[in-house]
Amino acid sequence: MSLLEQIALADERGLAASGLACLDRCLPPTGRGDPEPLRPLWASCENGADWVVRLAGVREALECDAPEGEAPRGTGPEGGGDTGSVAARVRALLAAAPADFEAEPLRAWSDACSLLALDVHREFDLPSAGGAELLRRCRAGGTEGVGPLVSGELRRQIEILDVLAETAGTVGSGAGLLRVLDLSTEGQRVLRAVTSRRARSRA
């Protein structure tokens, strides 16, 4: 099953957690405030409890960490690969997150989060090529020409949605979310290592 097919079939829990995981992986450390500012929102992914309240809190925390005078950025492909623009794109998607914990608005949001995460990995791939068409193709199941970072992120998104689907409505539901958090943290470490090496090479 392709990534797009999995997103189309996911429930509210799967959409909220997978979308949040994409943003969590991509958000660069700011060196200010909470080092894990999105974590409070994870507690709402199981059943939507306090989703609106926690979403507002996370938005506020990220805005406080934003550099003064930063220009708003787009959320789609070709958004720019430096860490400042990535952070701005993550904030923009959090600002666009639906207040209603319902499948259809969450599906559109989760889809946008998935696309952003893949695009961020594409921009740090060497060589960075293909753009929006490459991402469209790989999310539909075609992996020809996909770089190693995008390929790894694609597999991670698919595995996360698999875990969420398999544990939905079961006694292992909470453990499924913890497994997703572990997978996302692993991906976060990979991306941060790549961006750190890129920054050193430019210094």
Side-chain angles (χ1 to χ4, degrees):
M1 189 182 300
S2 72
L3 176 60
L4 288 178
E5 289 171 322
Q6 286 184 296
I7 293 172
L9 294 173
D11 63 6
E12 293 93 335
R13 169 178 169 272
L15 294 165
S18 62
L20 180 59
C22 287
L23 301 187
D24 210 6
R25 284 193 296 282
C26 293
L27 184 65
T30 65
R32 303 182 298 276
D34 188 344
E36 300 291 350
L38 304 189
R39 289 302 164 89
L41 202 50
W42 282 95
S44 295
C45 288
E46 182 62 47
N47 56 18
D50 296 325
W51 170 261
V52 173
V53 174
R54 291 188 173 117
L55 182 59
V58 164
R59 287 168 174 164
E60 183 178 355
L62 288 182
E63 287 304 320
C64 288
D65 280 348
E68 187 175 351
E70 179 183 72
R73 309 285 183 128
T75 61
E78 317 299 339
D82 62 276
T83 56
S85 68
V86 171
R89 294 169 72 191
V90 169
R91 284 194 297 274
L93 267 177
L94 279 168
D100 295 330
F101 197 82
E102 297 176 356
E104 291 317 304
L106 283 169
R107 199 177 318 281
W109 180 71
S110 181
D111 183 79
C113 294
S114 163
L115 185 58
L116 180 144
L118 287 165
D119 190 50
V120 168
H121 285 74
R122 180 195 63 80
E123 288 169 344
F124 286 105
D125 248 334
L126 291 176
S128 172
E133 174 57 27
L134 175 70
L135 299 185
R136 185 202 64 77
R137 192 172 67 248
C138 79
R139 296 205 311 154
T143 57
E144 183 179 355
V146 173
L149 284 178
V150 171
S151 180
E153 173 61 13
L154 180 65
R155 288 194 302 271
R156 192 172 295 110
Q157 289 190 26
I158 289 171
E159 184 175 0
I160 282 172
L161 283 163
D162 279 341
V163 169
L164 291 166
E166 289 166 3
T167 58
T170 70
V171 293
S173 181
L177 281 175
L178 288 175
R179 173 60 179 153
V180 166
L181 183 55
D182 286 342
L183 287 168
S184 192
T185 300
E186 176 188 345
Q188 182 188 75
R189 286 196 294 265
V190 170
L191 184 59
R192 288 185 178 182
V194 170
T195 57
S196 179
R197 286 196 299 270
R198 180 73 61 88
R200 288 196 301 270
S201 70
R202 289 175 173 175

